[in-house]
Amino acid sequence: MSEQTSITINIPNHWKTPKYSLGQLVKHGQIIGIEYQPPGTRRAYDLGEGWYYSVLINEQEYDVENLKESDIQPPSREKIDAKIDELKALIEFHQSSAAFLSKQLEKVEKL
């Protein structure tokens, strides 16, 4: 059984607060990484300052795209509904598997 782990990340007061968070579903996919380019740095000069997000576009192929915060858009209603349906189906599958294993265990214990 897996446990949900809570991690606290402290962001320096002089940095802007990120608009999105790790694991959040967005229009392009799911956020799997966040990086800040502070003003005055070489990378901020090259890329532009601010938050950049690594977004998992395709889970099967592990396609990742790096997007500036201004390029991120919230997911559509349809995308959220599809994710909910996917998770419900997964829950039902695991509940069925658990019920099947419980019946197997009962039979083993009767032997």
Side-chain angles (χ1 to χ4, degrees):
M1 187 182 249
S2 67
E3 290 185 27
Q4 193 95 13
T5 304
S6 177
I7 298 173
T8 302
I9 298 173
N10 295 315
I11 297 171
N13 292 333
H14 60 283
W15 289 11
K16 296 176 185 173
T17 303
K19 187 174 180 181
Y20 302 99
S21 59
L22 284 172
Q24 186 171 350
L25 189 63
V26 294
K27 182 178 181 180
H28 293 86
Q30 185 176 23
I31 295 174
I32 61 168
I34 302 175
E35 183 177 2
Y36 186 68
Q37 303 304 330
T41 62
R42 175 64 188 202
R43 286 183 53 92
Y45 177 77
D46 291 342
L47 301 171
E49 66 183 65
W51 289 101
Y52 286 79
Y53 298 83
S54 296
V55 179
L56 182 60
I57 305 297
N58 181 339
E59 292 179 23
Q60 284 75 32
E61 309 253 335
Y62 202 72
D63 290 337
V64 176
E65 189 172 337
N66 293 307
L67 301 170
K68 189 172 173 95
E69 187 168 76
S70 59
D71 296 331
I72 301 282
Q73 297 174 11
S76 66
R77 169 73 188 211
E78 293 79 17
K79 187 168 190 147
I80 294 172
D81 285 340
K83 189 66 172 179
I84 290 170
D85 291 344
E86 175 187 327
L87 292 173
K88 283 181 179 178
L90 191 59
I91 289 168
E92 289 173 12
F93 169 77
H94 286 293
Q95 286 175 332
S96 296
S97 296
F100 177 76
L101 288 172
S102 292
K103 287 181 182 179
Q104 272 191 314
L105 183 59
E106 288 174 10
K107 288 179 182 178
V108 168
E109 287 176 344
K110 287 180 182 178
L111 296 176

